mmCIF file with all atom_site columns, all heavy atoms in Angstrom:
data_model
loop_
_atom_site.group_PDB
_atom_site.id
_atom_site.type_symbol
_atom_site.label_atom_id
_atom_site.label_alt_id
_atom_site.label_comp_id
_atom_site.label_asym_id
_atom_site.label_entity_id
_atom_site.label_seq_id
_atom_site.pdbx_PDB_ins_code
_atom_site.Cartn_x
_atom_site.Cartn_y
_atom_site.Cartn_z
_atom_site.occupancy
_atom_site.B_iso_or_equiv
_atom_site.pdbx_formal_charge
_atom_site.auth_seq_id
_atom_site.auth_comp_id
_atom_site.auth_asym_id
_atom_site.auth_atom_id
_atom_site.pdbx_PDB_model_num
ATOM   1   N  N   . VAL A 1 94  ? 8.512  11.627 -10.784 1.00 87.00 ? 384 VAL A N   1
ATOM   2   C  CA  . VAL A 1 94  ? 9.068  12.488 -9.746  1.00 87.00 ? 384 VAL A CA  1
ATOM   3   C  C   . VAL A 1 94  ? 10.568 12.626 -9.944  1.00 87.00 ? 384 VAL A C   1
ATOM   4   O  O   . VAL A 1 94  ? 11.268 11.637 -10.148 1.00 87.00 ? 384 VAL A O   1
ATOM   5   C  CB  . VAL A 1 94  ? 8.817  11.890 -8.342  1.00 87.00 ? 384 VAL A CB  1
ATOM   6   C  CG1 . VAL A 1 94  ? 9.207  12.894 -7.269  1.00 87.00 ? 384 VAL A CG1 1
ATOM   7   C  CG2 . VAL A 1 94  ? 7.381  11.478 -8.186  1.00 87.00 ? 384 VAL A CG2 1
ATOM   8   N  N   . CYS A 1 95  ? 11.038 13.852 -9.897  1.00 91.00 ? 385 CYS A N   1
ATOM   9   C  CA  . CYS A 1 95  ? 12.480 14.114 -9.967  1.00 91.00 ? 385 CYS A CA  1
ATOM   10  C  C   . CYS A 1 95  ? 13.104 13.761 -8.623  1.00 91.00 ? 385 CYS A C   1
ATOM   11  O  O   . CYS A 1 95  ? 12.427 13.704 -7.609  1.00 91.00 ? 385 CYS A O   1
ATOM   12  C  CB  . CYS A 1 95  ? 12.707 15.582 -10.283 1.00 91.00 ? 385 CYS A CB  1
ATOM   13  S  SG  . CYS A 1 95  ? 14.453 15.998 -10.368 1.00 91.00 ? 385 CYS A SG  1
ATOM   14  N  N   . SER A 1 96  ? 14.424 13.552 -8.634  1.00 89.00 ? 386 SER A N   1
ATOM   15  C  CA  . SER A 1 96  ? 15.107 13.257 -7.369  1.00 89.00 ? 386 SER A CA  1
ATOM   16  C  C   . SER A 1 96  ? 14.995 14.433 -6.393  1.00 89.00 ? 386 SER A C   1
ATOM   17  O  O   . SER A 1 96  ? 15.141 14.267 -5.192  1.00 89.00 ? 386 SER A O   1
ATOM   18  C  CB  . SER A 1 96  ? 16.571 12.912 -7.628  1.00 89.00 ? 386 SER A CB  1
ATOM   19  O  OG  . SER A 1 96  ? 17.148 13.865 -8.479  1.00 89.00 ? 386 SER A OG  1
ATOM   20  N  N   . CYS A 1 97  ? 14.691 15.641 -6.920  1.00 94.00 ? 387 CYS A N   1
ATOM   21  C  CA  . CYS A 1 97  ? 14.526 16.806 -6.027  1.00 94.00 ? 387 CYS A CA  1
ATOM   22  C  C   . CYS A 1 97  ? 13.126 16.852 -5.427  1.00 94.00 ? 387 CYS A C   1
ATOM   23  O  O   . CYS A 1 97  ? 12.836 17.702 -4.588  1.00 94.00 ? 387 CYS A O   1
ATOM   24  C  CB  . CYS A 1 97  ? 14.816 18.100 -6.778  1.00 94.00 ? 387 CYS A CB  1
ATOM   25  S  SG  . CYS A 1 97  ? 13.505 18.606 -7.920  1.00 94.00 ? 387 CYS A SG  1
ATOM   26  N  N   . GLY A 1 98  ? 12.244 15.952 -5.889  1.00 90.00 ? 388 GLY A N   1
ATOM   27  C  CA  . GLY A 1 98  ? 10.899 15.911 -5.322  1.00 90.00 ? 388 GLY A CA  1
ATOM   28  C  C   . GLY A 1 98  ? 9.830  16.561 -6.189  1.00 90.00 ? 388 GLY A C   1
ATOM   29  O  O   . GLY A 1 98  ? 8.646  16.426 -5.929  1.00 90.00 ? 388 GLY A O   1
ATOM   30  N  N   . LYS A 1 99  ? 10.265 17.261 -7.244  1.00 92.00 ? 389 LYS A N   1
ATOM   31  C  CA  . LYS A 1 99  ? 9.313  17.918 -8.139  1.00 92.00 ? 389 LYS A CA  1
ATOM   32  C  C   . LYS A 1 99  ? 8.558  16.873 -8.970  1.00 92.00 ? 389 LYS A C   1
ATOM   33  O  O   . LYS A 1 99  ? 9.161  15.970 -9.525  1.00 92.00 ? 389 LYS A O   1
ATOM   34  C  CB  . LYS A 1 99  ? 10.090 18.880 -9.053  1.00 92.00 ? 389 LYS A CB  1
ATOM   35  C  CG  . LYS A 1 99  ? 9.268  19.535 -10.137 1.00 92.00 ? 389 LYS A CG  1
ATOM   36  C  CD  . LYS A 1 99  ? 8.610  20.791 -9.649  1.00 92.00 ? 389 LYS A CD  1
ATOM   37  C  CE  . LYS A 1 99  ? 7.801  21.448 -10.758 1.00 92.00 ? 389 LYS A CE  1
ATOM   38  N  NZ  . LYS A 1 99  ? 6.861  22.436 -10.214 1.00 92.00 ? 389 LYS A NZ  1
ATOM   39  N  N   . VAL A 1 101 ? 6.573  16.005 -12.293 1.00 92.00 ? 391 VAL A N   1
ATOM   40  C  CA  . VAL A 1 101 ? 6.448  16.541 -13.653 1.00 92.00 ? 391 VAL A CA  1
ATOM   41  C  C   . VAL A 1 101 ? 5.741  15.531 -14.556 1.00 92.00 ? 391 VAL A C   1
ATOM   42  O  O   . VAL A 1 101 ? 5.599  14.361 -14.200 1.00 92.00 ? 391 VAL A O   1
ATOM   43  C  CB  . VAL A 1 101 ? 7.840  16.868 -14.258 1.00 92.00 ? 391 VAL A CB  1
ATOM   44  C  CG1 . VAL A 1 101 ? 8.535  17.957 -13.469 1.00 92.00 ? 391 VAL A CG1 1
ATOM   45  C  CG2 . VAL A 1 101 ? 8.708  15.635 -14.337 1.00 92.00 ? 391 VAL A CG2 1
ATOM   46  N  N   . PHE A 1 107 ? 13.739 17.534 -18.839 1.00 93.00 ? 397 PHE A N   1
ATOM   47  C  CA  . PHE A 1 107 ? 14.564 18.146 -17.794 1.00 93.00 ? 397 PHE A CA  1
ATOM   48  C  C   . PHE A 1 107 ? 13.670 18.693 -16.700 1.00 93.00 ? 397 PHE A C   1
ATOM   49  O  O   . PHE A 1 107 ? 12.601 19.239 -16.986 1.00 93.00 ? 397 PHE A O   1
ATOM   50  C  CB  . PHE A 1 107 ? 15.401 19.299 -18.368 1.00 93.00 ? 397 PHE A CB  1
ATOM   51  C  CG  . PHE A 1 107 ? 16.412 18.840 -19.380 1.00 93.00 ? 397 PHE A CG  1
ATOM   52  C  CD1 . PHE A 1 107 ? 16.119 18.888 -20.728 1.00 93.00 ? 397 PHE A CD1 1
ATOM   53  C  CD2 . PHE A 1 107 ? 17.649 18.361 -18.972 1.00 93.00 ? 397 PHE A CD2 1
ATOM   54  C  CE1 . PHE A 1 107 ? 17.041 18.457 -21.674 1.00 93.00 ? 397 PHE A CE1 1
ATOM   55  C  CE2 . PHE A 1 107 ? 18.577 17.921 -19.903 1.00 93.00 ? 397 PHE A CE2 1
ATOM   56  C  CZ  . PHE A 1 107 ? 18.275 17.971 -21.257 1.00 93.00 ? 397 PHE A CZ  1
ATOM   57  N  N   . CYS A 1 108 ? 14.117 18.546 -15.472 1.00 94.00 ? 398 CYS A N   1
ATOM   58  C  CA  . CYS A 1 108 ? 13.336 19.062 -14.350 1.00 94.00 ? 398 CYS A CA  1
ATOM   59  C  C   . CYS A 1 108 ? 13.335 20.587 -14.393 1.00 94.00 ? 398 CYS A C   1
ATOM   60  O  O   . CYS A 1 108 ? 14.400 21.200 -14.482 1.00 94.00 ? 398 CYS A O   1
ATOM   61  C  CB  . CYS A 1 108 ? 13.937 18.576 -13.035 1.00 94.00 ? 398 CYS A CB  1
ATOM   62  S  SG  . CYS A 1 108 ? 13.119 19.275 -11.604 1.00 94.00 ? 398 CYS A SG  1
ATOM   63  N  N   . PRO A 1 109 ? 12.151 21.221 -14.347 1.00 95.00 ? 399 PRO A N   1
ATOM   64  C  CA  . PRO A 1 109 ? 12.086 22.684 -14.382 1.00 95.00 ? 399 PRO A CA  1
ATOM   65  C  C   . PRO A 1 109 ? 12.614 23.315 -13.091 1.00 95.00 ? 399 PRO A C   1
ATOM   66  O  O   . PRO A 1 109 ? 12.951 24.497 -13.074 1.00 95.00 ? 399 PRO A O   1
ATOM   67  C  CB  . PRO A 1 109 ? 10.593 22.974 -14.554 1.00 95.00 ? 399 PRO A CB  1
ATOM   68  C  CG  . PRO A 1 109 ? 9.900  21.754 -14.057 1.00 95.00 ? 399 PRO A CG  1
ATOM   69  C  CD  . PRO A 1 109 ? 10.842 20.593 -14.305 1.00 95.00 ? 399 PRO A CD  1
ATOM   70  N  N   . THR A 1 110 ? 12.723 22.544 -12.028 1.00 95.00 ? 400 THR A N   1
ATOM   71  C  CA  . THR A 1 110 ? 13.180 23.097 -10.750 1.00 95.00 ? 400 THR A CA  1
ATOM   72  C  C   . THR A 1 110 ? 14.698 22.997 -10.604 1.00 95.00 ? 400 THR A C   1
ATOM   73  O  O   . THR A 1 110 ? 15.361 23.986 -10.321 1.00 95.00 ? 400 THR A O   1
ATOM   74  C  CB  . THR A 1 110 ? 12.502 22.367 -9.562  1.00 95.00 ? 400 THR A CB  1
ATOM   75  O  OG1 . THR A 1 110 ? 11.087 22.498 -9.698  1.00 95.00 ? 400 THR A OG1 1
ATOM   76  C  CG2 . THR A 1 110 ? 12.941 22.956 -8.238  1.00 95.00 ? 400 THR A CG2 1
ATOM   77  N  N   . CYS A 1 111 ? 15.240 21.807 -10.839 1.00 95.00 ? 401 CYS A N   1
ATOM   78  C  CA  . CYS A 1 111 ? 16.679 21.626 -10.584 1.00 95.00 ? 401 CYS A CA  1
ATOM   79  C  C   . CYS A 1 111 ? 17.487 21.368 -11.857 1.00 95.00 ? 401 CYS A C   1
ATOM   80  O  O   . CYS A 1 111 ? 18.703 21.296 -11.805 1.00 95.00 ? 401 CYS A O   1
ATOM   81  C  CB  . CYS A 1 111 ? 16.894 20.494 -9.580  1.00 95.00 ? 401 CYS A CB  1
ATOM   82  S  SG  . CYS A 1 111 ? 16.582 18.866 -10.265 1.00 95.00 ? 401 CYS A SG  1
ATOM   83  N  N   . GLY A 1 112 ? 16.812 21.214 -13.005 1.00 94.00 ? 402 GLY A N   1
ATOM   84  C  CA  . GLY A 1 112 ? 17.530 21.028 -14.260 1.00 94.00 ? 402 GLY A CA  1
ATOM   85  C  C   . GLY A 1 112 ? 18.028 19.610 -14.492 1.00 94.00 ? 402 GLY A C   1
ATOM   86  O  O   . GLY A 1 112 ? 18.686 19.328 -15.487 1.00 94.00 ? 402 GLY A O   1
ATOM   87  N  N   . ASN A 1 113 ? 17.710 18.715 -13.590 1.00 92.00 ? 403 ASN A N   1
ATOM   88  C  CA  . ASN A 1 113 ? 18.129 17.317 -13.723 1.00 92.00 ? 403 ASN A CA  1
ATOM   89  C  C   . ASN A 1 113 ? 17.580 16.705 -15.017 1.00 92.00 ? 403 ASN A C   1
ATOM   90  O  O   . ASN A 1 113 ? 16.388 16.771 -15.277 1.00 92.00 ? 403 ASN A O   1
ATOM   91  C  CB  . ASN A 1 113 ? 17.607 16.559 -12.487 1.00 92.00 ? 403 ASN A CB  1
ATOM   92  C  CG  . ASN A 1 113 ? 17.769 15.062 -12.619 1.00 92.00 ? 403 ASN A CG  1
ATOM   93  O  OD1 . ASN A 1 113 ? 18.831 14.580 -12.983 1.00 92.00 ? 403 ASN A OD1 1
ATOM   94  N  ND2 . ASN A 1 113 ? 16.710 14.343 -12.320 1.00 92.00 ? 403 ASN A ND2 1
ATOM   95  N  N   . PHE A 1 115 ? 16.223 13.743 -17.240 1.00 88.00 ? 405 PHE A N   1
ATOM   96  C  CA  . PHE A 1 115 ? 15.649 12.423 -16.984 1.00 88.00 ? 405 PHE A CA  1
ATOM   97  C  C   . PHE A 1 115 ? 16.235 11.451 -17.987 1.00 88.00 ? 405 PHE A C   1
ATOM   98  O  O   . PHE A 1 115 ? 16.331 11.752 -19.173 1.00 88.00 ? 405 PHE A O   1
ATOM   99  C  CB  . PHE A 1 115 ? 14.129 12.472 -17.097 1.00 88.00 ? 405 PHE A CB  1
ATOM   100 C  CG  . PHE A 1 115 ? 13.508 13.307 -16.014 1.00 88.00 ? 405 PHE A CG  1
ATOM   101 C  CD1 . PHE A 1 115 ? 13.027 14.572 -16.293 1.00 88.00 ? 405 PHE A CD1 1
ATOM   102 C  CD2 . PHE A 1 115 ? 13.425 12.829 -14.721 1.00 88.00 ? 405 PHE A CD2 1
ATOM   103 C  CE1 . PHE A 1 115 ? 12.475 15.355 -15.292 1.00 88.00 ? 405 PHE A CE1 1
ATOM   104 C  CE2 . PHE A 1 115 ? 12.873 13.603 -13.719 1.00 88.00 ? 405 PHE A CE2 1
ATOM   105 C  CZ  . PHE A 1 115 ? 12.393 14.873 -14.004 1.00 88.00 ? 405 PHE A CZ  1
HETATM 106 ZN ZN1 . ZN  B 2 .   ? 14.380 18.235 -10.006 1.00 68.18 ? 673 ZN  B ZN1 1
#
Side-chain angles (χ1 to χ4, degrees):
V384 189
C385 179
S386 48
C387 75
K389 174 87 179 164
V391 297
F397 295 96
C398 175
T400 302
C401 72
N403 170 48
F405 293 105

